[in-house]
Amino acid sequence: VQLQASGGGMVHTGGSLRLSCAASGPKIITLTIGWFRQGPGGGRELLGYTSRDDFTRDGLTTTYAESAKGRFTISRDNAANTVYLQMNSLKPEDTGVYYCAASGLTRASTRLNYGYWGQGTQVTVSS
């Protein structure tokens, strides 16, 4: 699977951005897609992931890291084979390169669970 992340840019504190992760190859409905952030000089932090779940009404489940809860929302457009990351109330500490990644695992809670990565998109939040 090939992933293309886009939508990054520069915003002021309190602003919003929506990142997109377009997949080519397998349908995303069969994959777990995660969003990661890599801050300046830091490691790649998992923000959340969306995966197939046959036990939920819409067939999906989304899990967020504590740092993303309440401000970030992951959604899917299966027809467009695209996953989105809506980010609201952005803070300077949200600055970094944002990556999407794909995994064949239903529970993919660490970076090591992901074998396919997009190229990253830069988000800069100014104070």
Side-chain angles (χ1 to χ4, degrees):
V1 59
Q2 292 184 321
L3 303 172
Q4 178 78 29
S6 62
M10 181 178 291
V11 297
H12 292 295
T13 297
S16 298
L17 281 174
R18 188 177 80 156
L19 307 184
S20 300
C21 176
S24 59
K27 296 296 184 183
I28 59 169
I29 195 170
T30 66
L31 300 170
T32 291
I33 304 295
W35 281 101
F36 291 76
R37 175 177 63 208
Q38 185 164 11
R44 210 166 284 190
E45 172 194 11
L46 176 64
L47 299 171
Y49 60 92
T50 175
S51 55
R52 181 172 179 171
D53 189 339
D54 294 335
F55 297 100
T56 61
R57 186 170 62 182
D58 61 357
L60 295 171
T61 189
T62 306
T63 303
Y64 296 95
E66 286 299 319
S67 60
K69 286 182 181 178
R71 296 189 300 125
F72 294 179
T73 303
I74 297 173
S75 61
R76 291 179 178 238
D77 182 340
N78 290 329
N81 222 34
T82 299
V83 176
Y84 302 98
L85 177 66
Q86 176 68 44
M87 305 186 294
N88 299 324
S89 301
L90 284 164
K91 307 173 183 179
E93 51 263 45
D94 294 317
T95 293
V97 180
Y98 284 68
Y99 297 89
C100 60
S103 171
L105 302 175
T106 300
R107 298 288 183 261
S109 59
T110 73
R111 178 181 176 179
L112 295 177
N113 295 148
Y114 294 83
Y116 303 92
W117 292 83
Q119 84 290 0
T121 184
Q122 175 71 43
V123 172
T124 303
V125 185
S126 61
S127 57

